[in-house]
Each structure stands twice: as C-alpha cells, then as structure tokens.
Amino acid sequence: AQKITQTQPGMFVQEKEAVTLDCTYDTSDQSYGLFWYKQPSSGEMIFLIYQGSYDEQNATEGRYSLNFQKARKSANLVISASQLGDSAMYFCAMREIYNQGGKLIFGQGTELSVKP
Amino acid sequence: DTAVSQTPKYLVTQMGNDKSIKCEQNLGHDTMYWYKQDSKKFLKIMFSYNNKELIINETVPNRFSPKSPDKAHLNLHINSLELGDSAVYFCASSQRDRGIAGASTDTQYFGPGTRLTVL
C-alpha cells in the first residue's frame, strides 16, 4: 500500500540558514511522482516542487530542492537561505502514475518555524 | 486571475442541514478533486472527476455527493451535516497524465479551501 511518512512534526531553523524536511515513501510501483506543498497559516495549499521517479537529477525550484534517493525511498525537501515567510506547514505527497484517478497520498506534515 | 476558486471560504451551519461548496478552475484541466483536511491537518482524497466522470470515490459517506456539470466545475453537496464533517475542504485540479512515467504535467493545484464548521 502507498504510504508517505514525515517523521518531523515540527522544525525550527534560524533565518538565512538551510533546512531539510524529511519524507519517506512506500510504493510497489516503478512509476510515481513526488510533490511538496506549503500551507501557510492563511490555509491555502501552494505547490512547491515535483520529482518524477525516473528523473535522474534532483528537482530544483529557486530556493527549494528535492534530495531524491530512490533506493532509500526518500524525497527530502531542502530550503536554502530560510526566510521568515517560509514559516508554514509542509506536506510531502505521492502519486502513482498508473493509479486510478491520480489521487495524491499525503504525509502528516512538518510545521516549520523560521526564527529571526 | 484565480486558477482554482472555491465558494464559500467559510461555512458555519447547524447539524442536520444540507450545504454545498462550489469549485471552479480556469486552468483548462480535465480532472478535479475534493480533499478533506481534518483537525490534525491530515489531507485525504474524497473524490476525483475526469471529464465529468467520477473516477474516485474514497469510502466517503453517501451524504456527500459530488457533481460536475462540466470539466471546469466540481461541486460538493453534503446532506444531513454531522459534527464530524467539520473540516477544511479543498478542491484541486490537474491535467490527467497519460501514463507517461515522470510526467510533471499532472501537478494538482489547490483552491483556497472551505472551512466548514458544524454546530
């Protein structure tokens, strides 16, 4: 069964430092996609970054990068040069490419607090 | 321009009432979803529609009935509301993948959410 695990309920980071948010997943499929979303206190879900299971290079989007280790089934999000506005809940999610309907399976989330 | 919009943003109602939440997307996507976020922030799929056809119904009570009049709209109607229905409901949309491994075109974009409170 598909499963996403985020083991860090809460994280603190100093402004301007880098932080890694952990995500491990479990799937028996070879083709899948991994996503990270940010949910600030205002409540909306903001797409950050995507990694396909066949992508050979780690995805990057501005200050966000995804440390994809396929053999270990991990897809950690790295935020460089943290800003106060990065304080939010972060969700890792997975979608199996061939599953019916394309549903996302979410992890429990990690609440990140950036300290000034 | 709002990509995925939901109305209302807040909904407070009494137990036993019937209510609807509307969702519209202007991204040209062919697949829309409803997710429920509970009080512990856990997100779970409820329904998925592709081109107005229901393709996921994730063991949701039949008091919940989605309706898709066209592929840009997906509404959620809830009958006989219960206290446990209190949650944030998110609509999302994507372009359904065509089985291409590693396709990034299927990213789901979420609406702002509707916070439902049942008293």
Side-chain angles (χ1 to χ4, degrees):
Chain A
Q2 314 152 41
K3 190 176 179 182
I4 293 279
T5 302
Q6 294 179 253
T7 56
Q8 306 152 313
M11 289 276 288
F12 289 91
V13 65
Q14 205 67 36
E15 196 178 5
K16 299 180 186 175
E17 291 185 352
V19 63
T20 298
L21 306 183
D22 294 343
C23 173
T24 57
Y25 60 91
D26 190 18
T27 179
S28 54
D29 271 21
Q30 296 301 310
S31 298
Y32 50 88
L34 296 156
F35 302 80
W36 278 91
Y37 287 85
K38 172 184 178 182
Q39 186 176 39
S41 58
S42 50
E44 69 268 33
M45 293 285 290
I46 302 167
F47 165 69
L48 294 179
I49 196 166
Y50 166 89
Q51 178 86 39
S53 58
Y54 289 101
D55 293 342
E56 294 189 351
Q57 295 204 328
N58 287 341
T60 60
E61 288 286 348
R63 294 186 299 112
Y64 304 108
S65 59
L66 203 153
N67 184 357
F68 181 46
Q69 298 188 43
K70 194 170 180 177
R72 299 175 70 175
K73 293 190 174 177
S74 74
N76 299 339
L77 177 70
V78 180
I79 306 174
S80 63
S82 296
Q83 300 172 356
L84 296 177
D86 294 335
S87 293
M89 195 79 167
Y90 289 80
F91 292 96
C92 180
M94 177 177 68
R95 192 182 72 81
E96 292 173 344
I97 300 294
Y98 292 102
N99 82 8
Q100 185 187 20
K103 66 183 180 185
L104 287 174
I105 305 295
F106 283 89
Q108 310 92 314
T110 294
E111 186 158 14
L112 177 67
S113 298
V114 180
K115 295 181 177 180
Chain B
D1 287 343
T2 305
V4 183
S5 59
Q6 290 179 233
T7 53
K9 189 162 173 60
Y10 299 97
L11 188 51
V12 181
T13 188
Q14 299 286 334
M15 255 191 341
N17 283 351
D18 303 338
K19 290 292 178 187
S20 292
I21 306 171
K22 295 186 176 182
C23 178
E24 177 181 1
Q25 56 94 3
N26 62 7
L27 296 167
H29 290 161
D30 61 2
T31 306
M32 296 183 73
Y33 311 81
W34 280 109
Y35 288 87
K36 179 180 179 180
Q37 185 174 41
D38 64 22
S39 58
K40 295 184 179 178
K41 301 271 191 174
F42 185 66
L43 278 146
K44 189 168 186 222
I45 185 76
M46 298 174 69
F47 301 104
S48 171
Y49 268 77
N50 176 256
N51 281 322
K52 304 192 294 176
E53 180 189 350
L54 179 67
I55 50 175
I56 291 179
N57 182 341
E58 198 81 357
T59 59
V60 176
N62 57 16
R63 297 183 295 105
F64 290 79
S65 52
K67 282 190 173 52
S68 182
D70 56 61
K71 66 179 189 178
H73 296 84
L74 179 61
N75 303 324
L76 183 65
H77 188 75
I78 316 170
N79 289 328
S80 304
L81 278 155
E82 300 177 357
L83 293 176
D85 297 332
S86 294
V88 180
Y89 292 85
F90 285 98
C91 177
S93 75
S94 72
Q95 187 63 29
R96 192 177 182 188
D97 76 278
R98 295 164 184 81
I100 302 169
S104 61
T105 54
D106 60 339
T107 294
Q108 293 183 25
Y109 293 92
F110 284 73
T114 295
R115 182 175 291 278
L116 172 65
T117 304
V118 183
L119 304 174

